Amino acid sequence: MSHVPDLLPLDVLRTTFGYDDFRGEQGAIIDHVAGGGDAIVLMPTGGGKSLCYQIPAMVRPGVGVVISPLIALMHDQVTALENVGVRAGFLNSSQNYDLQRLTEQQATAGELDLLYLAPERLDLARTQEFLDRLTLSVFAIDEAHCVSQWGHDFRPEYLKLSVLGQRWPDVPRIALTATATPSTRREIAERLGLQQARTFVASFDRPNISYRIEPKQQPLKQLLTLIRSEHDGDSGIVYCLSRKSVEATAESLVKQGIDALPYHAGLPAGVRSANQSRFLREDGVVMVATIAFGMGIDKPDVRFVAHLDLPRSIEGYYQETGRAGRDGLPATAWMAYGLADVVQQRQMIDRSEGDAAHKRQLGQHLEAMLGLCETLRCRRQLMLDYFGEPSEPCGNCDTCLNPPTPWDGTVAAQKLLSTVVRLKRERNQRFGAGQLIDILHGRRTTRVEQWRHDQLSTFGIGTELTDLQWRAVIRQLLAAGVLAVSPDGHHTLEITDASWPVLRGERPVPLREDAVVRAGSTRKRTASAATKGPAAATELSAEDRELFERLRTWRAETARAAAVPAYVVFPDATLAAIAQHRPANADELFAISGVGAKKLDSYGDAVLAVVIGRDGDRLITTPTPG
Ligand code: ADP
Ligand code: ZN
């Protein structure tokens, strides 16, 4: 160790942040960086990456510089730190000159522990000279996967960050990301000059998130059922592929009385930031968004993430769903997925720019994603497998809780494929799913008669399956690569090399039976999710729940008065613990996880008053049991 800190990391954790113990590898990472070492940290969203650089910055002399691409969120990040008594500031293009000067002066005078910077600033000679004048404790490179050119969040400015190691070789650097793939990890090490850094890989399991994928039938109705039956009044994110569907979905939800807002890159900047701010600050807002929304959103109490369209890759799906339940309390990752999604994504790949290798890569990503949708295995286990992490079936995903019925789809697949083959061979035609199903069912529709498809030998040989079941068969054959969407842009289907062994009876086709989705069907929160996370608000007794709600009302008022997000005052998990343990004095309150010295000072009296029930007129308006 090149430096023996005056403050011990564990003391800072307990006194400043109010937590009892480090989670997972946090302690080891912090020791390593506080001792002057470089680190690459891969930890899932909600894993607790922030403390890994915040605490080293506090125990080492000087100011820690945090490089973050999320200008819109810097203000909230700094406010959250100030709220626990950490001296923090930020410099970005949203500030006026005077404010920037003031922050620079504070940093130079040694009055800051942490300084957040946008990456593009580091390219400026002025910024570099300013940093030269400071004592620097650590460089933290947040969202480090932004250096990856093939990744989903590439930022060219990140490539310039190699300057950090060159210009300030004695300052330890820590790069952090929630992207788990080995190739991203390699790119981070190479491009940031961190080949010698110690790499810490946390488990990517998020046991509190329950994963569910349903066949898409009436997506909006299915979404409403999810919200009404399980997430009434909760914060959530709904992802859609297009801007148009974002707006239409948000509008429909609002009509149904749900507090929903749209977010996509086509909205004016002012609307986007106002919507983001409402989502962060208020309880129970549902954000309907394209994937333009979400990176760095550290709202801990997002209770559900819903996908109305198929994500492009497992990495993307994992990142997006990972925004649920950062506080460790039960959360839902739900998706509705159908045949049209597969067709649409295949066409997007065919039409995308880029060379054959790039298209092949996109195709592989899609295939892995489809594999996750159609699997008979535990969904979590399959995802962790994909990230190279061995695990057991989880007991908290739909395939574990409600194992799908496997059935032998070989004959059905043969009927369908031979129809496709006959159309092609006998008439040089290609058709989409609808016409194929009509043929198999033996329906004499106008289009069937027009094309004289009733003459085909496969006409009417598939009456044993319903339309929905046939669509499920086609979807699964597409996912398995036994059938393909032709690149003609007309949603038509064609056979592949893999179709022949099926037609010849050499390859069996195991399929899963779709769960029947009934509007109004509810699913109880699972026991295992409850035991793995901290006490969820929903598991409080009626009496504790009542106190929890009063604490939330107090929190909303307090947050509004201070113009900060509610979770900056206290996260739900802390309020639930307070409601359960009912601290009678400051000492007992301090013992609760999430209550540090500064917050005890700022809010202790007010919270105790709410607990004891002496919070003035609220007692009159809220009937208390007993
Ligand atoms: P990440 O940046 O990895 O997504 P955060 O740093 O935002 O995660 O942490 C997620 C949540 O977990 C935050 O609410 C944070 O306060 C909490 N947290 C982090 N470390 C601990 C710990 N050791 N004990 C209890 N809570 C923690
Ligand atoms: Zn499972």
Side-chain angles (χ1 to χ4, degrees), residues 528-552:
S528 71
T531 50
K532 279 175 184 163
T538 45
E539 272 118 37
L540 294 173
S541 69
E543 212 170 311
D544 294 347
R545 174 95 210 173
E546 187 273 338
L547 174 54
F548 176 76
E549 292 304 337
R550 281 194 291 127
L551 286 163
R552 264 170 52 123

Short mmCIF file of all heavy atoms in Angstrom, two decimals, residues 528-552:
data_model
loop_
_atom_site.label_atom_id
_atom_site.label_comp_id
_atom_site.label_asym_id
_atom_site.label_seq_id
_atom_site.Cartn_x
_atom_site.Cartn_y
_atom_site.Cartn_z
N SER A 528 -39.91 -17.12 -3.23
CA SER A 528 -38.45 -17.07 -3.26
C SER A 528 -37.94 -15.64 -3.48
O SER A 528 -36.93 -15.25 -2.93
CB SER A 528 -37.89 -18.00 -4.33
OG SER A 528 -38.16 -17.47 -5.59
N ALA A 529 -38.68 -14.88 -4.27
CA ALA A 529 -38.26 -13.50 -4.48
C ALA A 529 -38.31 -12.75 -3.17
O ALA A 529 -37.46 -11.92 -2.87
CB ALA A 529 -39.16 -12.82 -5.50
N ALA A 530 -39.31 -13.07 -2.37
CA ALA A 530 -39.48 -12.34 -1.12
C ALA A 530 -38.37 -12.67 -0.14
O ALA A 530 -37.88 -11.80 0.57
CB ALA A 530 -40.83 -12.70 -0.51
N THR A 531 -37.93 -13.91 -0.10
CA THR A 531 -36.93 -14.25 0.90
C THR A 531 -35.54 -13.80 0.47
O THR A 531 -34.67 -13.63 1.31
CB THR A 531 -36.90 -15.77 1.15
OG1 THR A 531 -36.82 -16.40 -0.11
CG2 THR A 531 -38.13 -16.23 1.89
N LYS A 532 -35.32 -13.61 -0.82
CA LYS A 532 -33.98 -13.23 -1.25
C LYS A 532 -33.70 -11.75 -1.05
O LYS A 532 -32.57 -11.37 -0.83
CB LYS A 532 -33.76 -13.62 -2.71
CG LYS A 532 -33.41 -15.08 -2.87
CD LYS A 532 -33.31 -15.48 -4.32
CE LYS A 532 -33.06 -16.96 -4.45
NZ LYS A 532 -33.33 -17.46 -5.78
N GLY A 533 -34.71 -10.91 -1.18
CA GLY A 533 -34.48 -9.48 -1.06
C GLY A 533 -34.78 -9.02 0.35
O GLY A 533 -35.24 -9.79 1.18
N PRO A 534 -34.51 -7.74 0.63
CA PRO A 534 -34.95 -7.18 1.91
C PRO A 534 -36.47 -7.11 1.94
O PRO A 534 -37.12 -7.34 0.93
CB PRO A 534 -34.34 -5.78 1.91
CG PRO A 534 -33.88 -5.51 0.52
CD PRO A 534 -33.75 -6.80 -0.18
N ALA A 535 -37.00 -6.78 3.11
CA ALA A 535 -38.45 -6.76 3.26
C ALA A 535 -39.07 -5.86 2.20
O ALA A 535 -38.73 -4.70 2.08
CB ALA A 535 -38.82 -6.24 4.64
N ALA A 536 -39.96 -6.40 1.42
CA ALA A 536 -40.64 -5.59 0.42
C ALA A 536 -41.82 -4.92 1.08
O ALA A 536 -42.42 -5.46 2.00
CB ALA A 536 -41.12 -6.47 -0.72
N ALA A 537 -42.12 -3.73 0.57
CA ALA A 537 -43.24 -3.00 1.14
C ALA A 537 -44.51 -3.85 1.10
O ALA A 537 -45.32 -3.81 2.01
CB ALA A 537 -43.44 -1.70 0.36
N THR A 538 -44.66 -4.64 0.03
CA THR A 538 -45.87 -5.44 -0.11
C THR A 538 -45.95 -6.55 0.92
O THR A 538 -47.00 -7.14 1.11
CB THR A 538 -45.92 -6.10 -1.49
OG1 THR A 538 -44.64 -6.65 -1.76
CG2 THR A 538 -46.31 -5.12 -2.55
N GLU A 539 -44.83 -6.85 1.57
CA GLU A 539 -44.87 -7.93 2.56
C GLU A 539 -45.01 -7.40 3.98
O GLU A 539 -44.95 -8.16 4.94
CB GLU A 539 -43.61 -8.79 2.44
CG GLU A 539 -43.79 -9.91 1.43
CD GLU A 539 -42.82 -9.80 0.26
OE1 GLU A 539 -41.68 -9.40 0.50
OE2 GLU A 539 -43.23 -10.11 -0.86
N LEU A 540 -45.19 -6.11 4.12
CA LEU A 540 -45.38 -5.55 5.45
C LEU A 540 -46.77 -5.91 5.97
O LEU A 540 -47.70 -6.10 5.18
CB LEU A 540 -45.25 -4.03 5.38
CG LEU A 540 -43.87 -3.47 5.01
CD1 LEU A 540 -43.95 -1.97 4.82
CD2 LEU A 540 -42.84 -3.81 6.09
N SER A 541 -46.89 -6.00 7.28
CA SER A 541 -48.22 -6.21 7.86
C SER A 541 -49.06 -4.97 7.59
O SER A 541 -48.52 -3.91 7.26
CB SER A 541 -48.08 -6.41 9.37
OG SER A 541 -47.70 -5.18 9.97
N ALA A 542 -50.36 -5.10 7.73
CA ALA A 542 -51.25 -3.97 7.42
C ALA A 542 -50.86 -2.74 8.24
O ALA A 542 -50.83 -1.62 7.74
CB ALA A 542 -52.70 -4.36 7.69
N GLU A 543 -50.50 -2.98 9.49
CA GLU A 543 -50.16 -1.88 10.38
C GLU A 543 -48.86 -1.19 9.94
O GLU A 543 -48.78 0.04 9.90
CB GLU A 543 -49.98 -2.46 11.79
CG GLU A 543 -50.38 -1.53 12.90
CD GLU A 543 -50.38 -2.31 14.20
OE1 GLU A 543 -50.99 -3.42 14.24
OE2 GLU A 543 -49.76 -1.85 15.16
N ASP A 544 -47.86 -2.02 9.62
CA ASP A 544 -46.59 -1.46 9.16
C ASP A 544 -46.76 -0.77 7.82
O ASP A 544 -46.14 0.24 7.53
CB ASP A 544 -45.52 -2.56 9.04
CG ASP A 544 -45.17 -3.15 10.40
OD1 ASP A 544 -45.56 -2.54 11.42
OD2 ASP A 544 -44.53 -4.23 10.43
N ARG A 545 -47.61 -1.33 7.02
CA ARG A 545 -47.88 -0.78 5.69
C ARG A 545 -48.44 0.65 5.83
O ARG A 545 -48.10 1.55 5.07
CB ARG A 545 -48.88 -1.69 4.98
CG ARG A 545 -49.38 -1.20 3.66
CD ARG A 545 -48.57 -1.78 2.52
NE ARG A 545 -48.56 -0.84 1.42
CZ ARG A 545 -47.85 -0.96 0.31
NH1 ARG A 545 -47.06 -2.00 0.17
NH2 ARG A 545 -47.90 -0.06 -0.64
N GLU A 546 -49.31 0.80 6.82
CA GLU A 546 -49.92 2.11 7.04
C GLU A 546 -48.84 3.13 7.41
O GLU A 546 -48.82 4.25 6.90
CB GLU A 546 -50.99 1.97 8.13
CG GLU A 546 -51.83 3.21 8.37
CD GLU A 546 -51.20 4.16 9.36
OE1 GLU A 546 -50.34 3.73 10.18
OE2 GLU A 546 -51.53 5.35 9.29
N LEU A 547 -47.91 2.70 8.27
CA LEU A 547 -46.81 3.61 8.65
C LEU A 547 -45.91 3.88 7.44
O LEU A 547 -45.49 5.01 7.20
CB LEU A 547 -45.99 2.99 9.80
CG LEU A 547 -44.72 3.76 10.19
CD1 LEU A 547 -45.01 5.22 10.51
CD2 LEU A 547 -44.05 3.08 11.40
N PHE A 548 -45.66 2.83 6.66
CA PHE A 548 -44.85 2.98 5.45
C PHE A 548 -45.45 4.04 4.54
O PHE A 548 -44.75 4.91 4.02
CB PHE A 548 -44.76 1.62 4.74
CG PHE A 548 -44.04 1.66 3.42
CD1 PHE A 548 -42.65 1.73 3.37
CD2 PHE A 548 -44.75 1.59 2.23
CE1 PHE A 548 -41.98 1.75 2.15
CE2 PHE A 548 -44.08 1.61 1.00
CZ PHE A 548 -42.70 1.70 0.97
N GLU A 549 -46.78 3.99 4.37
CA GLU A 549 -47.43 4.97 3.50
C GLU A 549 -47.30 6.38 4.07
O GLU A 549 -47.10 7.34 3.33
CB GLU A 549 -48.91 4.63 3.27
CG GLU A 549 -49.14 3.36 2.44
CD GLU A 549 -48.47 3.39 1.06
OE1 GLU A 549 -48.20 4.50 0.55
OE2 GLU A 549 -48.19 2.30 0.51
N ARG A 550 -47.39 6.50 5.40
CA ARG A 550 -47.23 7.84 5.99
C ARG A 550 -45.80 8.34 5.80
O ARG A 550 -45.57 9.51 5.55
CB ARG A 550 -47.61 7.82 7.47
CG ARG A 550 -49.14 7.85 7.68
CD ARG A 550 -49.50 8.16 9.11
NE ARG A 550 -49.16 7.07 10.01
CZ ARG A 550 -48.43 7.22 11.11
NH1 ARG A 550 -47.97 8.41 11.45
NH2 ARG A 550 -48.18 6.18 11.87
N LEU A 551 -44.84 7.42 5.92
CA LEU A 551 -43.44 7.81 5.70
C LEU A 551 -43.24 8.25 4.25
O LEU A 551 -42.51 9.20 3.96
CB LEU A 551 -42.51 6.63 6.02
CG LEU A 551 -42.33 6.33 7.51
CD1 LEU A 551 -41.74 4.93 7.73
CD2 LEU A 551 -41.45 7.38 8.18
N ARG A 552 -43.94 7.57 3.34
CA ARG A 552 -43.81 7.95 1.93
C ARG A 552 -44.40 9.34 1.66
O ARG A 552 -43.86 10.11 0.88
CB ARG A 552 -44.49 6.91 1.03
CG ARG A 552 -43.45 5.95 0.54
CD ARG A 552 -43.93 4.75 -0.15
NE ARG A 552 -44.86 4.86 -1.26
CZ ARG A 552 -44.61 4.36 -2.47
NH1 ARG A 552 -43.45 3.83 -2.73
NH2 ARG A 552 -45.52 4.40 -3.40
#
